[in-house]
Amino acid sequence: MTGRPVVFVHGLWLHATSWTPWMDLFRDQGYQPIAPGWPGEPDTVEEARNHPELVADTTIDAATEHFADIIADLDDVPVLVGHSFGGLIVEKLLGEGIGAGAVAIDPAQIKGVLPLPLAQLRAGLPGLGNPANLHKAVSLTAKEFRFGFGNALSEEESNALYEKWTIPSPARPLFQAAAANFVMHSQAAVDTANQTRGPLLLISGTADHTVPDVVTRSTLKQYRDSAAVTELKQFEGRGHSLTIDAGWPEVAHAVLDWLKTNGL
């Protein structure tokens, strides 16, 4: 008997290979992990940096459909694990009945989430600060990465992660999420009332600037009309880098424990 597949979905500004340590751990635990890139994303960080145009203008729906197609080709129903906009995508997929269960780590805000803290606005400025970015791929500077991802880390560790994993990412999902509550059929909408979906774990870093804890707590409230399992786990003092920084094993093991508890 082979292990259950796990599909890891990254968010903006990180490359799919940033999940490599997680994949090694999950493989050791008997799972079959994969970490596909977003549509058009090259196989390496270097290639992605050299060809930002390949991912420019990618929408939330286009990315979600891309991962749904990949999941449809798997031999078994997978667990979905997403970070940031990857978290929003796995929430969308689970709401559509795709996947046995999902973990959304510091997930980008879905339609219906109202809090918009100043730190989150500042973290999104590299993309949202210029309307001309709508159809472009945008890169972060080391300083912007430090504020949005590495604020709970030493400058040395933040800079090292920036050099290792960051890539240009489409700005369009940022605009879509920012306008979600003003658009009737927003692509950031999730079927939070689905009663028959698998279990969902939301994870929040309490020091996160990009997706502040208050945003993730508000996301949890959006699921109040569903009787399906929906839980929140908070990591004190952790920022948006919690999937890639030196403390990632604590988060990963918490995810593994939750999956085991829920029969996944």
Side-chain angles (χ1 to χ4, degrees):
M1 181 179 174
T2 56
R4 184 187 292 277
V6 179
V7 179
F8 289 99
V9 183
H10 70 82
L12 302 185
W13 296 309
L14 295 180
H15 191 265
T17 51
S18 63
W19 286 115
T20 300
W22 285 69
M23 292 175 66
D24 292 342
L25 174 63
F26 274 64
R27 196 176 293 111
D28 289 344
Q29 295 296 316
Y31 291 94
Q32 295 186 77
I34 60 170
W38 280 42
E41 182 182 316
D43 290 339
T44 68
V45 170
E46 184 179 10
E47 288 177 277
R49 289 173 178 168
N50 290 336
H51 296 283
E53 72 281 358
L54 294 176
V55 298
D57 213 25
T58 302
T59 64
I60 293 172
D61 274 358
T64 304
E65 290 163 14
H66 167 75
F67 289 103
D69 289 343
I70 291 169
I71 291 166
D73 288 336
L74 298 175
D75 293 333
D76 195 3
V77 182
V79 166
L80 314 175
V81 180
H83 173 246
S84 198
F85 265 96
L88 185 154
I89 288 169
V90 302
E91 286 185 74
K92 281 181 69 74
L93 291 167
L94 192 68
E96 295 168 9
I98 298 172
V103 179
I105 305 169
D106 294 340
Q109 71 270 31
I110 63 175
K111 182 178 173 67
V113 170
L114 299 180
L116 192 61
L118 287 174
Q120 185 180 18
L121 282 172
R122 180 177 163 188
L125 275 179
L128 294 172
N130 185 350
N133 288 337
L134 177 62
H135 302 293
K136 296 179 179 178
V138 177
S139 298
L140 297 180
T141 65
K143 184 178 180 180
E144 289 166 342
F145 179 85
R146 178 84 195 282
F147 181 82
F149 283 75
N151 58 291
L153 309 177
S154 68
E155 186 172 5
E156 182 181 18
E157 183 177 6
S158 180
N159 288 344
L161 294 172
Y162 173 80
E163 291 297 332
K164 190 171 186 178
W165 298 126
T166 58
I167 62 171
S169 288
R172 197 162 175 187
L174 288 166
F175 286 90
Q176 291 178 310
N181 292 323
F182 308 100
V183 177
M184 184 174 292
H185 299 294
S186 169
Q187 293 187 22
V190 170
D191 183 0
T192 55
N194 186 335
Q195 305 286 344
T196 60
R197 63 163 172 80
L200 172 64
L201 175 64
L202 301 172
I203 289 180
S204 170
T206 63
D208 195 327
H209 282 169
T210 297
V211 185
D213 180 60
V214 66
V215 172
T216 308
R217 285 188 277 116
S218 179
T219 299
L220 177 68
K221 292 177 184 176
Q222 302 306 306
Y223 287 92
R224 60 187 174 271
D225 294 330
S226 174
V229 172
T230 312
E231 297 177 2
L232 170 66
K233 183 169 179 60
Q234 296 160 299
F235 285 86
E236 291 295 325
R238 301 295 296 277
H240 205 60
S241 66
L242 81 176
T243 59
I244 56 171
D245 61 37
W248 73 266
E250 180 189 8
V251 183
H253 281 289
V255 171
L256 286 165
D257 289 344
W258 182 84
L259 293 175
K260 183 178 180 181
T261 298
N262 285 277
L264 298 170

